[in-house]
Amino acid sequence: MDTDILKRNNVRLFGQGQQMLVFGHGFGCDQYVWSDIAPAFEEKYRVVLFDYVGAGKSDKSAYTTERYGSLHGYKQDLFDLCDALNLENIVFVGHSVSSMIGMLASIERPGLIDKMIMIAPSPYYLNEPDYHGGFEKSDIDELLDMMEINYKEWAKYLAPVVMQNEDRPHLAADFEEILCSNDPVIARQFAEVTFTSDVRSELSKVSVPTLILQTRFDAIAPPEVGQYVHENIKGSRLRLMNAAGHNPHISDSEETVRMIKEYLEN
C-alpha cells in the first residue's frame, strides 16, 4: 500500500464486502459531494472516496500544469490510487467529467473496471453541426475569462445554472461554497481541460457494462448528450431521472442511490 498516494489524493475507505466501489467527483468538486450517496453502499461494498490532485484536501503541491493539462493526468490519479490499494474489477461511479476519466481508464487498462456508472456524462461540450454539446465556443471562452477576472462572481453565477431547483436555493448556495473552496488557478485549468476535451471517438471502445444517469434538464450536459453517449457505448443502459440539474447526487440523492442499486443488483 502506497501511503504517499493515499495521502496525496486524500483517499478514504470504509464499508464492507468484496466489491470495491470507487467514486470520482466532477470539475469544481471534491469527495464531499458523495456525502449523501456513499454511506448507502457501505453495508455491501468497500467504498473508496478520493480527491483528484488540485481538489479538496488533496496535496496541491503535487499539481503541475503539464500533468493535468489533459484528462489523462486525472486518469493517472485513478490508476495511482487503484495501484496503491491493489484494486481490480472495481465499480466506478463517475460524475460529469469523471465519467470520461473512468471511461479512458477502462479502455487503457482492461480488468481494472468491472462496471461503470456515469452521472451526467459528456464527451464534448461544444456544439457542432451534427452534435449538440450544449455550448458555443464563445460561451466557454466567456466562462474561462470570467474565472480569471473574478472567480467568486463566476462561482456565484454558475452555481444556480448547474444546480437548477430554484425552489431549493440552498442547493445553489452550498454548491457555490464548494466552488469557492477551490484554488482559482487550478480550477481554471481544470475547467479548460473539461470543457475543451473531445473524447467522442473513445465511446465505441468501451467494453464494460455501463449505466448512464441523465436528468430531465441539465444546462451543462443536456439530454441529447446522454442519448449520444448511450448510442455510442455498446450495451449501455440509459436511465432518465426525475431529478433536474447537473448534480443529481447532491440534489436528489435518494433517486440517485436507488437507480445505482437497481443497476448493480440486477
Side-chain angles (χ1 to χ4, degrees):
M1 183 178 294
D2 189 334
T3 56
D4 289 340
I5 295 296
L6 302 187
K7 182 179 179 181
R8 185 194 73 182
N9 289 94
N10 187 33
V11 177
R12 290 196 299 134
L13 295 91
F14 57 90
Q16 50 199 345
Q18 296 300 312
Q19 182 80 70
M20 304 296 293
L21 196 56
V22 180
F23 290 88
H25 64 81
F27 158 73
C29 302
D30 55 40
Q31 62 181 269
Y32 167 81
V33 298
W34 302 112
S35 296
D36 293 332
I37 302 292
F41 296 90
E42 61 183 326
E43 288 187 6
K44 292 186 178 180
Y45 297 88
R46 188 79 167 135
V47 175
V48 181
L49 300 179
F50 71 99
D51 299 328
Y52 290 110
V53 169
K57 295 181 180 178
S58 68
D59 180 2
K60 294 180 179 61
S61 68
Y63 185 90
T64 65
T65 56
E66 292 77 20
R67 171 166 168 149
Y68 297 100
S70 77
L71 295 181
H72 296 286
Y74 296 96
K75 176 195 66 183
Q76 190 60 49
D77 273 14
L78 180 58
F79 284 158
D80 289 348
L81 74 90
C82 287
D83 290 344
L85 296 170
N86 297 313
L87 302 185
E88 58 183 14
N89 299 316
I90 67 172
V91 175
F92 183 74
V93 183
H95 170 243
S96 193
V97 68
S98 248
S99 298
M100 299 300 105
I101 294 167
M103 175 190 73
L104 294 174
S106 77
I107 295 167
E108 183 173 330
R109 193 179 288 188
L112 178 65
I113 297 177
D114 187 51
K115 296 182 181 70
M116 281 193 297
I117 290 98
M118 297 180 170
I119 302 174
S122 176
Y124 190 48
Y125 291 88
L126 296 180
N127 295 325
E128 291 192 348
D130 59 346
Y131 175 80
H132 180 71
F135 294 87
E136 298 297 332
K137 186 178 184 301
S138 58
D139 298 328
I140 301 301
D141 290 342
E142 184 177 342
L143 179 147
L144 295 175
D145 288 344
M146 191 186 304
M147 292 183 77
E148 286 189 3
I149 295 168
N150 193 326
Y151 184 83
K152 289 189 176 180
E153 280 300 309
W154 165 82
K156 185 176 182 179
Y157 159 77
L158 188 67
V161 174
V162 170
M163 292 305 304
Q164 299 298 312
N165 295 281
E166 292 83 357
D167 58 326
R168 292 184 284 168
H170 68 279
L171 291 173
D174 289 347
F175 189 62
E176 180 184 341
E177 189 173 333
I178 293 172
L179 292 175
C180 286
S181 68
N182 285 278
D183 179 299
V185 175
I186 293 175
R188 199 268 182 204
Q189 183 174 16
F190 195 6
E192 184 169 3
V193 169
T194 297
F195 288 110
T196 61
S197 294
D198 183 357
V199 292
R200 288 176 292 176
S201 63
E202 303 299 305
L203 296 171
S204 62
K205 301 176 186 177
V206 174
S207 60
V208 302
T210 302
L211 171 68
I212 300 154
L213 296 183
Q214 175 69 51
T215 64
R216 56 187 167 85
F217 178 79
D218 186 342
I220 307 300
E224 295 94 329
V225 174
Q227 183 65 36
Y228 181 91
V229 174
H230 168 53
E231 291 174 355
N232 285 275
I233 295 182
K234 185 178 180 181
S236 63
R237 184 176 181 186
L238 174 64
R239 293 291 304 274
L240 186 64
M241 305 180 71
N242 290 322
H246 190 57
N247 293 340
H249 53 312
I250 299 176
S251 63
D252 296 84
S253 57
E254 289 185 6
E255 183 183 19
T256 304
V257 166
R258 175 171 55 80
M259 288 192 167
I260 293 175
K261 283 187 172 182
E262 286 174 358
Y263 182 73
L264 295 178
E265 293 169 3
N266 296 322

